[in-house]
């Protein structure tokens, strides 16, 4: 019976590019924050737009006074996709303050509070090896409407090992269920790009129906695939998934190079394993007594799906062997019993 190996992981990419306040050991001791202010207490934003809010920071940084900073805000209420927000790189101004823009997306939709400040420039995982300096600042009420909804359809639904596949991504208006009517710029990422994207690069365009399809290699199925909505400085929403795999009991074939050999002679045993990925272990087993199968040689599945293990007759007479493939992202399976006669 066919079973699903791994459930489809399709989850919003929430705050992927942002630095959690607990990411590293300590805040930078040379960064001192006096005040953080926002020029608005509330903002409304719709669809794929962003609304600018001016952020101003007063304080000092003893090491490099002209270093830019980034202000972090954390969600305290509401139901938007984003859990945290980060300002653009705020430059140091002539009057000794840092000031710049926080781009607010509709995917925020809720209440956010200033939680900390960090030396920049922003880079996923932070621009330094310290946490933001905590600062309990003002709150911002965000009304986000017509938020983007991202969906994905994988073909084939169950992706065989070592086979390519495609994903049809779609970006629509969650409020109306319809596309936005224009081409949407998106990031189609694999693995690290899904967690570390920032800036304007690595972008693709949907069609006017909000759809974009991408062909993926067999190796891409081993990582998270994602669509991100680019923002400044970080993505403002997205969806990530891991493809489904067929969960079928493997078929194991085994053919010895010789059916008889002198005691102690190495006899290669060749065969193939279907529906098991390359690198999985393959064990040659010999029957001891009436029912005890014990490993006597080990190999691995090659990228072609084939393998080679070595038998070595230990005594005269007909010796029962089998090839056993342990559970390796699939169901354990064994070949039919075969015999090599020791002479």
């Amino acid at each position: 019976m066919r079973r699903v190996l791994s459930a489809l992981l399709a989850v919003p990419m929430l705050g992927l590019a942002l630095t959690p306040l607990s990411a590293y050991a300590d805040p930078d001791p040379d960064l001192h924050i006096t005040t953080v202010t926002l020029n608005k207490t509330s903002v409304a934003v719709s669809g794929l737009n962003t609304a600018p809010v001016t952020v101003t920071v007063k304080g000092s940084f003893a090491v490099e006074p002209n270093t830019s900073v980034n202000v972090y805000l954390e969600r305290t209420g509401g139901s938007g996709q984003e859990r945290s927000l980060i300002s653009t790189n705020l430059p140091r101004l002539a009057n000794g303050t840092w000031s710049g823009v926080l781009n607010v997306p509709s995917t925020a939709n809720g209440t956010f509070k200033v939680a900390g400040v960090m030396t920049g420039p922003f880079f996923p995982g932070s621009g330094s090896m310290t946490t933001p300096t905590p600062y309990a600042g003002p709150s911002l009420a965000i009304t986000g409407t017509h938020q983007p909804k991202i969906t994905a359809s994988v073909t084939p639904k169950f992706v065989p090992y070592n086979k390519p596949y495609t994903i049809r991504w779609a970006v629509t208006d969650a409020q109306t269920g319809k596309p936005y009517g224009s081409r949407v710029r998106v990031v189609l990422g694999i693995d690290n790009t899904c967690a570390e994207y920032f800036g304007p690069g690595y972008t693709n365009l949907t069609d006017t129906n909000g759809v974009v399809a991408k062909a993926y290699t067999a190796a891409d199925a081993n990582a998270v695939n994602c669509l991100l909505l680019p923002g400044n400085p970080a993505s403002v929403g997205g969806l990530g998934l891991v493809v489904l795999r067929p969960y079928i009991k493997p078929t194991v074939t085994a053919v010895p190079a010789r059916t008889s050999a002198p005691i102690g002679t190495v006899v290669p045993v060749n065969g193939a394993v279907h529906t098991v990925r390359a690198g999985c272990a393959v064990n040659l087993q010999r029957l001891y007594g009436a029912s005890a199968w014990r490993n006597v040689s080990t190999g691995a599945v090659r990228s072609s799906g084939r393998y080679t293990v070595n038998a070595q007759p230990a005594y005269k007479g007909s010796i029962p062997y089998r090839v056993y493939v342990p559970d390796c992202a699939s169901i354990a399976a064994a070949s039919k019993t075969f015999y090599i006669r020791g002479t």
Side-chain angles (χ1 to χ4, degrees):
M1 178 181 293
R2 188 174 195 171
R3 293 188 291 167
V4 176
L5 169 61
S6 59
L8 177 67
L9 171 63
V11 295
M13 309 297 274
L14 301 173
L16 283 174
L18 306 189
T19 303
L21 296 186
S22 59
Y24 303 107
D26 298 295
D28 193 319
D30 296 311
L31 178 63
H32 301 281
I33 305 303
T34 305
T35 61
V36 179
T37 58
L38 306 175
N39 74 329
K40 299 177 182 179
T41 58
S42 64
V43 65
V45 57
S46 176
L48 300 170
N49 300 309
T50 57
V53 173
T54 300
V55 185
T56 302
V57 178
K58 292 185 177 181
S60 64
F61 184 49
V63 179
E64 296 181 26
N66 292 325
T67 297
S68 63
V69 298
N70 301 98
V71 172
Y72 290 78
L73 295 84
E74 294 185 341
R75 175 181 293 284
T76 58
S79 58
Q81 297 176 31
E82 294 297 286
R83 291 196 298 252
S84 55
L85 296 174
I86 180 174
S87 73
T88 58
N89 297 317
L90 308 183
R92 185 79 169 185
L93 304 182
N95 61 1
T97 64
W98 291 277
S99 188
V101 174
L102 165 69
N103 293 310
V104 179
S106 66
T107 50
N109 189 46
T111 304
F112 286 74
K113 182 178 176 61
V114 171
V117 180
M118 192 171 193
T119 55
F122 170 78
F123 186 82
S126 85
S128 67
M129 293 302 291
T130 60
T131 59
T133 297
Y135 183 85
S139 292
L140 179 66
I142 302 166
T143 302
T145 57
H146 296 280
Q147 298 176 45
K149 177 182 178 180
I150 302 167
T151 56
S153 176
V154 183
T155 304
K157 183 176 181 180
F158 298 94
V159 179
Y161 290 101
N162 304 318
K163 297 293 184 180
Y165 58 100
T166 61
I167 301 179
R168 180 185 183 275
W169 301 93
V171 181
T172 56
D173 183 332
Q175 193 167 321
T176 66
K178 298 178 180 180
Y180 288 103
S182 61
R183 303 184 74 184
V184 179
R185 188 166 295 280
V186 299
V187 180
L188 299 181
I190 301 168
D191 200 13
N192 287 351
T193 303
C194 297
E196 298 178 356
Y197 165 80
F198 79 107
Y202 307 103
T203 55
N204 303 83
L205 283 173
T206 70
D207 61 20
T208 55
N209 292 317
V211 174
V212 59
K214 177 178 173 63
Y216 294 81
T217 69
D220 295 336
N222 298 323
V224 173
N225 303 158
C226 66
L227 181 149
L228 302 178
L229 299 174
N232 182 16
S235 61
V236 295
L239 181 74
L241 63 83
V242 175
V243 300
L244 295 169
R245 293 295 205 180
Y247 200 21
I248 305 171
K249 186 172 183 178
T251 300
V252 185
T253 61
V255 179
R258 301 171 63 179
T259 56
S260 66
I263 295 172
T265 302
V266 174
V267 179
V269 177
N270 298 295
V273 184
H274 300 283
T275 74
V276 170
R277 69 170 182 262
C280 287
V282 176
N283 299 326
L284 177 67
Q285 297 183 329
R286 196 179 93 196
L287 184 62
Y288 285 74
S291 60
W293 291 98
R294 298 179 185 175
N295 293 347
V296 293
S297 175
T298 299
V301 178
R302 300 190 289 271
S303 59
S304 63
R306 299 190 61 80
Y307 69 87
T308 299
V309 289
N310 293 319
Q312 196 169 13
Y315 58 86
K316 289 185 178 182
S318 186
I319 305 172
Y321 290 96
R322 73 176 186 180
V323 171
Y324 178 76
V325 180
D327 185 350
C328 179
S330 187
I331 303 171
S335 71
K336 294 180 179 180
T337 301
F338 61 91
Y339 296 84
I340 300 175
R341 179 173 294 278
T343 59

